Amino acid sequence: MPGRVSARTSATSRVPRKTSEPSLSLRASASRLHPSVVVPVEGPSNTLRGKICTVFGDAQKSTAGHRKLVINLRKIHEACCYEPSKPSKKELDSHGEDDFNVEFARCVLRLVGIKKSEAVGDRILRFLGLFLRHASEKDAALIPQAQSDDTQSFPETPSTRLTSHVLSVILPLLKAKEKTIRFRSTQIISHIINSLDSIDDEYYHLVRVGLLKRIRDKEAMVRVQAVLGLGRLASNEGDEEREDEESGSDESSGLLEKLLEVLQNDPSADVRRSLLLNLPLTPGTLPFLLERARDLDPPTRRALYSRLLPALGDFRHLSLSMREKLLRWGLRDRDENVRKATARLFSERWIEDCAGTRLQAEGDAPAEAPLPSMEALLELLERIDVVNSGVENGVALEALREFWNGRPDYRDAVSFDDPFWDQLSAERVFLARSFNDFCTQEEDGKYSALVEEKMPEVTKLAFFIQRYTNDLVNRIRSININDQAEEEEDMVEQEFIVEQLLHIAQTLDYSDEVGRRKMFALLRETLAIAELPDEITRLVIEVLRSICGTDSAAEREFCGVVLEAVAEVHDTIVSEDAMEVGDESFHSARSEVTDTTPTKDTRERKLLSENGEQDEQKAIQEILVNLKCLHIAQCMLQNVGDNLQENVHLVTMLNNLVVPAVRSHEAPIRERGLLCLGLCCLLDKTLAEENLTLFLHCFSKGHDALQTTAIQILSDILTTHPSLLTQSVDPNMPKSIFKVFHKGLKAVHTPEVQSAATTALCKLMLTLVVTDEDLLKQLVICFFEPATKENATMRQALSYFLPVYCRSRRENMERMGKVVPGVLHALMGLEEELDEDEEMVGMTVVTNMLVEWTDARKLVVLDDVAVSWDEAGRKEIKTVNGDIHLDLADALLEKAMVHGCPKEEKKPILSMLGKLYITPTSTVEKLQSAYDLVAEAIELKIAPDAGSRNALTKLHTALSKALGETVPVSPRKSAAREGVTVLKEEEVGLEETQMPDVEVALEETKVEHHIVEETQLEAIMGEETDVKDSILDELLDEEEEEL
C-alpha cells in the first residue's frame, strides 16, 4: 500500500466538547495551559478526532490495555496514510495523513500541562512511546528490502513524518517559563529518543541543542529528563558531531564532555544517578562512572554496585587498583544496602567471571546454576592481590567473609586435605585463613563443626608452620648473601604464608597437651631467630601468649620465655664478633704466601680502610639487633597486664634493655626505647610519675614523629593513671601537661602532631580525665578555624567528639556553655584577620551549632527532673531543666553589655538569645536573673539591628511566660517600660527643615509604639503573644539615616 498525503485539511472552527466524550485530563485542558503553549485551534468535531481521543482516553486509565490500543490506533493511522487494498466507503476516507498528525499532536500537547505527581501523564507517555515504536516497525516492514538497501539516508515513512511533526510541536516548549511544561516537554522528547532507533537528521540537531540547554535548568526534574535523552544521543554521536565540536561554538561543543561534567558537579542526586545508568560504557567514561562509588547519595552508590558493575561485563578488564578500591569503598560504606550490593557483586558475579559460567540461557529456559569451582575461587583471590589486600586493615578478608556468608555451596564444597597444605600459595593459605576466621567468629558457634571437620589439628598445623618458617628463613639468608630481586618477591609471598598460618594458630583450641607442647616449643625456637620479620615476630608472641594462659603465673612464664629469646637474639652480636676474628686470622695467613709484598704504608692504609668498613658494618648490625630486641620487648609489653614490680622478668628487662636504650646515642634505638618505657609506665604508676618529665621534654625538643609518640604515651599514661593529674607531687605538673596539649593543638604546620594531640585530648575529655575549660575552648576554636580545614583527620575527630561530649553528660554540656562567649570572641577575631583568599564558616552556622551543643533536650542521659516513672512502672519523660541555656543567656548578655563590645560581635551573640530553650521547670532564681538582664539590655538598647532586637524581645517574652507559670514577676519596674524600646526625644526630634513625609512616618511610629506597649502588657500578664517591633525599628533606622 503506497503512502499518500491527503490534500484535505481539518476545519478550523471550534465546537464545544460533549460531556460524554473522553478527555485526556481535565487538569491539562486548554484553558489551564500556560500562555507559552500554543494550542491548535479546535475545528469542528469529526470522526477521526473522536476515535483518536477515545484511544488516548482509554490509555490514560490503565497500562494493561496499551498493546490493544496501540493496534487500534495503528489501524486508524494506516487508514489515513495508505490507500486501502479494497476500496470501501468508510468514515475515515475523508481524512488524510496531515489530519491524523494534527489530531495526534493535539492529544500529545494536552500532556505538557499535567504535573509530575499525576500518574495519568506517565501512562500517556508510555503509550506514546509504545505506539511510535510499533508504527516505525510496521512501516519499516512495508519497505522493500532492496529499496531500503539502496537508500543512503533513512527512508521517509508516515511514522517518521508523525514523529517529526510531534517534535516540531514540542521543541518550542522547552523554553517555557512554567516548570511543569518544561518538564513534560523534555520528558516527551527524551522518551521518543529512547523509544525509536533513529530520527530525522534535521530534528536530531534541534533536539540535541534543546536538551543541552535543559541540562542547566534550575529544576532538577527537568535536568533528569534532559540527561536521559542526551545519554542516548551520546552513544550515537558520530563524526559529524565531532567536527561541530571543533568549531568552538558552545552549542556544538563535546556532548560527552558536558555530560561528564554534569555527572561530577550536578547538585541533584537524581541527575547524577540517571547519567550513571545511561551514559555509554567506554574507556573514556568508565573512570568517571566508577567515581560515583564515592558519591554523597547512597542510592547512587548502590546503583553503581547493583546495576552498572554487573552490566559492565568481565571484571578482569578493570585494573587491579580499581578492583581493590571498588571493594574497599563498597564493603566499608556507611549504607547497609551498598554493602549488601557489593557483597552480592563479589560473591555472585565476579566468581562467575572467573569460573566462565556466565552463559546466556537459550530461549526462555533458565541457565543451570554453576557448580562450585575452587580453581575459580583461587583465581578470584589472585585477581584482588591478596598478598597486599589480605594484610591487617585490608579489604580481602572482609570480601571473603561476605563470600562465605553468601555462598553456602562453596562452604560445603571446600576441602583442606593434606595435598592442599603441601603446596601452599598465597591464595590457598588465605582461603584457609578466611574460612577459619568466618567459622570461629560466627556467633553461637554455628559453624564450629565445619572447623573441626575441615581444618587440621594443632600438631599437624605446627609441622606446617615449622616447614614454611624454615623456608622463609633460608630465603632471607640467601637474599642477604646474593641480593637477588626475584628471590625477594618469593620471600614476600613466603612471609605472607607464614603470617596466615599464625593467624590460624591464634584461633585453635590448645586443650590437647601434646599439640600445645609441640606448638609452644616451635614458637619458642622461632622467636629466637634474629632474621625473623617484625610482623611474624608480633604474631608469634601473640600465639605464645594464648598458649601460656591468662593467670599471673602464666604471664610470668610467658615473660620468661620471651626474655630468653631476647637474650639469644642479642647474643648474635657476640657470635658475629668471634666469626670476624676467625676470618681476619685466616686472611692474614693467606697474605703471608702472596707473591707481591706491599710496602708498609700501603699495608697500613689498606688495614685502616678495611677496619673502618668493618666497624661501620658492625655498628649497623649492632643497631639492627638492638632494634630487634626492643621490638620483641615491645610486643611482649603489649600482651601483659599485671603490675611491673610483681614480675621480676619485667624489672630485669626494664633495667637491662629499656633504660640503656633510652640513654643510647642512636636515635632509632632511643625512640624505640622510649616507646617501651611508655608501655612499662602503664604497668607501674610510680614509674609513670617519675618519667612524666622525660616525655614532656621529648615533646618540647623532639622532631615531629617523636612529638607524636610522646603525646600518645602521655595520653595512655593519664588514661591508665588519672590520679597523676589530681594527686601529683609536683603542683606544676598538670599545667605542664596542659601546656603540651595547647602546643599540640596549635601546631598548624605539623598536621600529624595536631591530629595526634586532638585525638588524645578528645579521649581524655570523654573519660573525664581532663576537664580544663581552656582546652575545651581551644578544641572548639580549632573545629571552626580556617587554618585547620586541610587537616581532615583532626576535623573528623572533632566532628564526632564535640556532639558526643556535650550530649553524654550534663556537666559536660554546662562546661561547653561556659566557654561559648570566649569561643565567639576568638572566632570574631579570626574572621577579621582573614586574608582575601581565605574563607571561614559563617557565624550563623557557628551559633546554631553552639546552641545545639548546649541544648539540654539533646542529653542522652537526662537528669532526675526530666525522668520519672508512672504508676505502671513505665519510664516517663518530662520537660527538661533548661538551666544550661539560662546560664548561657546570662553570660552572653553580660558579654554584650560590656562597654567597648564591638557591633560585629554583638550581632552573633544576641542572635543566639532567640534560639535558647526556656522552660518553666528551670530554677526560679535563674529565670529571674535572666529576666532582669534582658530587661536591662532592652533598656540600654544594646541591640545594633532589628534582628538582634527581635531576639531580645523573643527571649524577654519567653522568660515572662516561664516566670508567669511559676511565681509572679517581681515589680522592679513598670512592665511596659521594660518590655519595649522607649523612644527618646533626641531620637525622634526633627529639624524644622525636614520633609513632610518624615512627619507622617513619625506619627505612624507613635501609633505603632502604643500598640507594642499594649501587647507587651498582655504578654507579661501570662497570655501567649509574640511581640515584634521590627516595623518600629525599620522606621527608626530610616529616620537616623535621613538625620
Side-chain angles (χ1 to χ4, degrees):
M1 293 183 295
R4 63 178 174 84
V5 179
S6 175
R8 296 180 293 273
T9 57
S10 302
T12 58
S13 60
R14 176 182 175 90
V15 296
R17 185 189 300 271
K18 298 180 181 180
T19 56
S20 60
E21 184 178 344
S23 61
L24 182 62
S25 177
L26 294 178
R27 298 188 181 186
S29 61
S31 60
R32 295 196 177 186
L33 288 178
H34 194 271
S36 60
V37 181
V38 181
V39 182
V41 179
E42 297 283 353
S45 179
N46 52 65
T47 307
L48 178 62
R49 180 180 301 174
K51 288 182 176 295
I52 295 178
C53 290
T54 301
V55 172
F56 273 89
D58 294 339
Q60 73 178 351
K61 297 177 182 178
S62 174
T63 59
H66 277 188
R67 181 71 60 179
K68 182 179 179 180
L69 294 173
V70 164
I71 296 174
N72 294 338
L73 189 59
R74 175 58 183 174
K75 292 180 180 178
I76 301 173
H77 189 206
E78 290 178 352
C80 294
C81 299
Y82 295 104
E83 293 289 349
S85 57
K86 295 181 180 180
S88 60
K89 294 182 179 180
K90 292 185 178 180
E91 297 177 355
L92 296 179
D93 290 344
S94 60
H95 300 284
E97 181 181 346
D98 290 344
D99 297 329
F100 181 87
N101 294 346
V102 170
E103 296 297 335
F104 188 87
R106 189 190 304 274
C107 293
V108 173
L109 197 60
R110 265 57 179 186
L111 177 62
V112 298
I114 302 177
K115 293 183 178 180
K116 181 183 178 182
S117 58
E118 296 289 343
V120 173
D122 297 333
R123 297 193 195 108
I124 293 297
L125 189 67
R126 180 178 177 182
F127 173 75
L128 173 63
L130 191 62
F131 172 75
L132 291 178
R133 186 186 307 114
H134 177 75
S136 299
E137 293 173 356
K138 289 294 184 180
D139 288 340
L142 295 175
I143 301 175
Q145 185 67 26
Q147 180 180 351
S148 61
D149 294 340
D150 295 340
T151 305
Q152 294 292 335
S153 61
F154 190 75
E156 184 178 357
T157 61
S159 60
T160 60
R161 291 191 291 269
L162 175 61
T163 304
S164 300
H165 180 69
V166 173
L167 290 176
S168 65
V169 173
I170 300 299
L171 277 173
L173 304 181
L174 292 175
K175 302 178 181 179
K177 294 182 179 180
E178 180 64 32
K179 62 180 181 180
T180 302
I181 297 176
R182 293 200 310 275
F183 164 70
R184 285 299 182 186
S185 56
T186 309
Q187 185 185 32
I188 291 172
I189 293 175
S190 298
H191 193 73
I192 291 176
I193 292 173
N194 287 282
S195 299
L196 301 178
D197 294 333
S198 60
I199 59 175
D200 187 81
D201 290 341
E202 178 184 357
Y203 287 98
Y204 177 88
H205 292 285
L206 294 176
V207 167
R208 184 177 182 271
V209 172
L211 293 182
L212 275 175
K213 292 181 179 180
R214 289 306 100 207
I215 63 174
R216 305 299 181 188
D217 198 280
K218 62 180 180 180
E219 299 294 335
M221 60 180 182
V222 179
R223 299 199 302 272
V224 168
Q225 299 302 323
V227 299
L228 287 177
L230 290 174
R232 175 67 185 277
L233 297 181
S235 60
N236 298 327
E237 193 175 45
D239 297 335
E240 182 178 354
E241 283 76 11
R242 292 185 176 89
E243 293 177 0
D244 294 339
E245 293 166 10
E246 296 176 357
S247 63
S249 61
D250 181 66
E251 295 181 355
S252 300
S253 59
L255 173 60
L256 200 56
E257 288 75 6
K258 287 189 175 183
L259 292 180
L260 292 176
E261 181 186 359
V262 173
L263 177 65
Q264 290 182 307
N265 303 315
D266 197 282
S268 174
D270 295 333
V271 177
R272 300 195 301 271
R273 193 181 317 119
S274 300
L275 271 177
L276 176 69
L277 300 176
N278 289 277
L279 278 178
L281 295 175
T282 63
T285 60
L286 190 58
F288 296 92
L289 296 175
L290 298 181
E291 280 181 358
R292 293 304 97 201
R294 306 298 288 169
D295 197 277
L296 296 177
D297 181 54
T300 303
R301 301 195 300 270
R302 184 170 67 250
L304 173 73
Y305 287 100
S306 61
R307 298 179 62 181
L308 179 68
L309 289 178
L312 186 60
D314 198 331
F315 81 99
R316 290 173 287 190
H317 296 302
L318 298 173
S319 64
L320 179 60
S321 61
M322 184 54 66
R323 296 174 211 156
E324 192 270 337
K325 287 180 181 179
L326 288 173
L327 281 179
R328 185 175 71 251
W329 294 339
L331 293 175
R332 297 177 181 176
D333 197 275
R334 298 186 299 270
D335 190 79
E336 183 180 1
N337 294 324
V338 179
R339 297 196 297 269
K340 289 181 179 179
T342 309
R344 194 178 306 111
L345 173 73
F346 179 79
S347 59
E348 295 180 5
R349 304 308 295 266
W350 285 14
I351 186 65
E352 292 177 7
D353 289 337
C354 294
T357 56
R358 191 193 291 185
L359 302 177
Q360 297 293 335
E362 297 181 0
D364 296 333
E368 296 181 359
L371 297 176
S373 172
M374 290 299 108
E375 291 77 9
L377 184 54
L378 293 175
E379 182 187 353
L380 178 59
L381 294 179
E382 182 182 359
R383 296 292 182 180
I384 62 175
D385 189 17
V386 293
V387 176
N388 294 316
S389 62
V391 297
E392 188 176 1
N393 295 326
V395 74
L397 194 60
E398 301 174 26
L400 264 293
R401 187 184 302 116
E402 297 294 340
F403 179 84
W404 295 120
N405 187 38
R407 295 303 296 266
D409 52 341
Y410 275 85
R411 278 203 312 262
D412 298 334
V414 69
S415 176
F416 304 113
D417 49 7
D418 291 342
F420 178 88
W421 299 99
D422 291 337
Q423 300 176 354
L424 282 181
S425 62
E427 292 77 21
R428 285 173 172 266
V429 70
F430 187 78
L431 183 69
R433 183 261 174 108
S434 63
F435 180 81
N436 179 75
D437 287 355
F438 171 76
C439 295
T440 55
Q441 294 175 3
E442 192 69 22
E443 297 180 358
D444 302 331
K446 185 178 179 180
Y447 302 111
S448 57
L450 287 176
V451 176
E452 297 177 1
E453 176 186 352
K454 298 179 181 294
M455 299 303 294
E457 58 272 12
V458 177
T459 306
K460 186 178 293 187
L461 184 65
F463 282 110
F464 294 143
I465 293 176
Q466 184 178 14
R467 171 186 169 184
Y468 289 102
T469 303
N470 292 336
D471 291 344
L472 174 63
V473 174
N474 293 333
R475 290 176 185 272
I476 293 175
R477 291 172 179 172
S478 175
I479 290 174
N480 293 335
I481 297 174
N482 300 327
D483 193 15
Q484 297 181 1
E486 296 180 357
E487 294 186 1
E488 289 184 3
E489 296 179 359
D490 296 338
M491 186 201 69
V492 172
E493 183 175 358
Q494 196 72 18
E495 181 180 346
F496 181 79
I497 292 174
V498 177
E499 290 176 5
Q500 303 310 307
L501 291 175
L502 290 173
H503 278 295
I504 296 174
Q506 284 182 309
T507 62
L508 295 182
D509 182 11
Y510 292 99
S511 58
D512 179 17
E513 186 63 23
V514 177
R516 193 191 75 85
R517 290 182 179 181
K518 173 62 180 175
M519 185 69 74
F520 182 82
L522 170 65
L523 297 179
R524 164 66 184 80
E525 296 175 1
T526 304
L527 190 60
I529 301 175
E531 296 88 356
L532 204 65
D534 290 346
E535 182 64 20
I536 295 180
T537 301
R538 182 184 67 82
L539 292 173
V540 168
I541 292 176
E542 290 180 358
V543 178
L544 268 177
R545 185 68 184 92
S546 61
I547 293 176
C548 291
T550 57
D551 56 353
S552 299
E555 186 172 295
R556 287 192 293 271
E557 178 189 6
F558 165 71
C559 294
V561 171
V562 174
L563 289 182
E564 289 177 5
V566 171
E568 292 184 16
V569 172
H570 194 271
D571 290 342
T572 57
I573 302 177
V574 180
S575 62
E576 289 176 358
D577 292 342
M579 292 176 61
E580 289 175 0
V581 173
D583 292 340
E584 182 180 353
S585 62
F586 176 71
H587 287 297
S588 299
R590 289 186 60 188
S591 63
E592 295 291 335
V593 296
T594 55
D595 295 336
T596 59
T597 303
T599 61
K600 181 178 180 181
D601 295 338
T602 305
R603 288 198 305 268
E604 289 180 355
R605 286 196 298 269
K606 184 176 181 181
L607 184 62
L608 289 174
S609 62
E610 290 179 355
N611 290 337
E613 293 178 358
Q614 291 176 0
D615 291 341
E616 184 179 356
Q617 293 178 357
K618 179 181 176 181
I620 294 175
Q621 185 65 24
E622 185 176 352
I623 292 174
L624 294 177
V625 172
N626 287 328
L627 286 175
K628 180 66 178 180
C629 295
L630 288 170
H631 177 71
I632 297 175
Q634 174 188 345
C635 296
M636 180 194 67
L637 290 170
Q638 290 173 346
N639 288 276
V640 296
D642 289 346
N643 190 276
L644 179 72
Q645 302 299 332
E646 297 176 359
N647 194 329
V648 64
H649 301 290
L650 295 180
V651 176
T652 303
M653 180 207 63
L654 175 65
N655 296 328
N656 298 334
L657 182 63
V658 177
V659 174
V662 175
R663 295 173 179 175
S664 174
H665 296 288
E666 302 294 338
I669 296 178
R670 187 167 60 249
E671 293 175 8
R672 185 67 64 85
L674 185 71
L675 190 59
C676 292
L677 180 61
L679 292 172
C680 292
C681 291
L682 300 181
L683 303 176
D684 185 64
K685 180 181 176 181
T686 305
L687 182 65
E689 189 172 7
E690 293 174 355
N691 290 280
L692 278 178
T693 306
L694 172 63
F695 298 127
L696 295 176
H697 177 76
C698 291
F699 180 84
S700 302
K701 304 298 181 181
H703 51 83
D704 296 348
L706 186 59
Q707 285 181 336
T708 303
T709 303
I711 206 164
Q712 290 173 347
I713 293 174
L714 285 172
S715 173
D716 293 340
I717 290 175
L718 294 178
T719 304
T720 309
H721 311 295
S723 60
L724 292 178
L725 280 178
T726 58
Q727 302 175 4
S728 177
V729 178
D730 186 2
N732 296 324
M733 183 58 66
K735 295 182 180 180
S736 301
I737 295 175
F738 294 161
K739 186 178 180 181
V740 166
F741 284 108
H742 272 292
K743 288 184 178 180
L745 294 177
K746 295 179 180 179
V748 180
H749 301 291
T750 54
E752 295 81 7
V753 178
Q754 191 179 33
S755 59
T758 302
T759 306
L761 187 57
C762 290
K763 294 178 181 178
L764 293 175
M765 284 194 164
L766 282 175
T767 55
L768 295 183
V769 176
V770 174
T771 58
D772 187 69
E773 295 181 1
D774 292 337
L775 287 175
L776 177 60
K777 172 185 172 182
Q778 188 63 34
L779 282 176
V780 180
I781 294 174
C782 289
F783 182 63
F784 297 109
E785 188 178 7
T788 62
K789 65 180 180 180
E790 300 297 335
N791 195 343
T793 305
M794 178 184 184
R795 285 287 183 94
Q796 186 174 8
L798 289 176
S799 64
Y800 170 82
F801 162 74
L802 290 171
V804 173
Y805 175 78
C806 295
R807 298 172 185 176
S808 58
R809 290 183 176 89
R810 189 176 186 86
E811 53 268 25
N812 292 348
M813 189 173 285
E814 292 175 351
R815 201 171 293 115
M816 176 62 74
K818 295 178 182 178
V819 303
V820 166
V823 168
L824 291 176
H825 178 73
L827 292 178
M828 291 299 299
L830 290 174
E831 190 175 24
E832 294 177 357
E833 298 174 359
L834 288 179
D835 297 335
E836 295 181 357
D837 56 342
E838 290 183 339
E839 295 182 358
M840 182 177 171
V841 181
M843 293 305 298
T844 303
V845 178
V846 174
T847 55
N848 289 339
M849 298 184 75
L850 292 175
V851 170
E852 183 182 2
W853 292 340
T854 55
D855 192 348
R857 294 172 294 181
K858 301 294 180 66
L859 284 171
V860 177
V861 181
L862 302 177
D863 49 23
D864 297 335
V865 178
V867 180
S868 63
W869 284 264
D870 57 10
E871 298 178 355
R874 293 172 297 189
K875 191 174 182 180
E876 185 180 23
I877 306 296
K878 297 181 179 179
T879 306
V880 182
N881 190 324
D883 286 352
I884 299 178
H885 271 182
L886 289 177
D887 295 336
L888 178 59
D890 291 349
L892 293 175
L893 286 170
E894 291 176 357
K895 179 70 175 177
M897 288 190 294
V898 171
H899 180 69
C901 181
K903 176 181 178 181
E904 292 75 12
E905 188 173 346
K906 286 183 180 179
K907 292 177 65 176
I909 289 177
L910 296 179
S911 67
M912 293 181 63
L913 298 177
K915 306 170 186 176
L916 301 181
Y917 173 66
I918 307 298
T919 174
T921 58
S922 304
T923 307
V924 178
E925 290 78 7
K926 292 186 177 182
L927 286 171
Q928 186 64 51
S929 175
Y931 180 84
D932 295 341
L933 279 175
V934 173
E936 184 179 356
I938 292 175
E939 186 176 358
L940 294 176
K941 301 180 181 179
I942 64 172
D945 56 357
S948 302
R949 287 191 288 271
N950 290 338
L952 280 174
T953 304
K954 183 177 180 180
L955 178 61
H956 188 275
T957 305
L959 290 170
S960 302
K961 180 181 177 181
L963 284 172
E965 296 181 8
T966 54
V967 295
V969 182
S970 59
R972 61 184 294 269
K973 288 185 180 181
S974 173
R977 187 171 184 80
E978 293 176 0
V980 296
T981 304
V982 183
L983 297 176
K984 296 183 179 179
E985 294 181 359
E986 57 269 23
E987 294 177 343
V988 298
L990 299 175
E991 298 292 338
E992 295 180 355
T993 58
Q994 283 185 321
M995 299 299 295
D997 55 346
V998 179
E999 298 178 0
V1000 175
L1002 280 176
E1003 292 296 329
E1004 295 176 357
T1005 302
K1006 295 177 181 179
V1007 174
E1008 182 66 20
H1009 173 63
H1010 292 300
I1011 296 175
V1012 173
E1013 285 185 342
E1014 295 174 1
T1015 308
Q1016 186 64 40
L1017 284 171
E1018 294 176 357
I1020 296 175
M1021 295 301 295
E1023 297 182 7
E1024 297 182 6
T1025 58
D1026 187 11
V1027 180
K1028 294 183 179 180
D1029 57 345
S1030 59
I1031 300 177
L1032 171 64
D1033 299 326
E1034 293 174 359
L1035 292 174
L1036 288 178
D1037 292 339
E1038 295 176 358
E1039 298 293 339
E1040 293 173 357
E1041 291 177 0
E1042 293 182 2
L1043 288 175

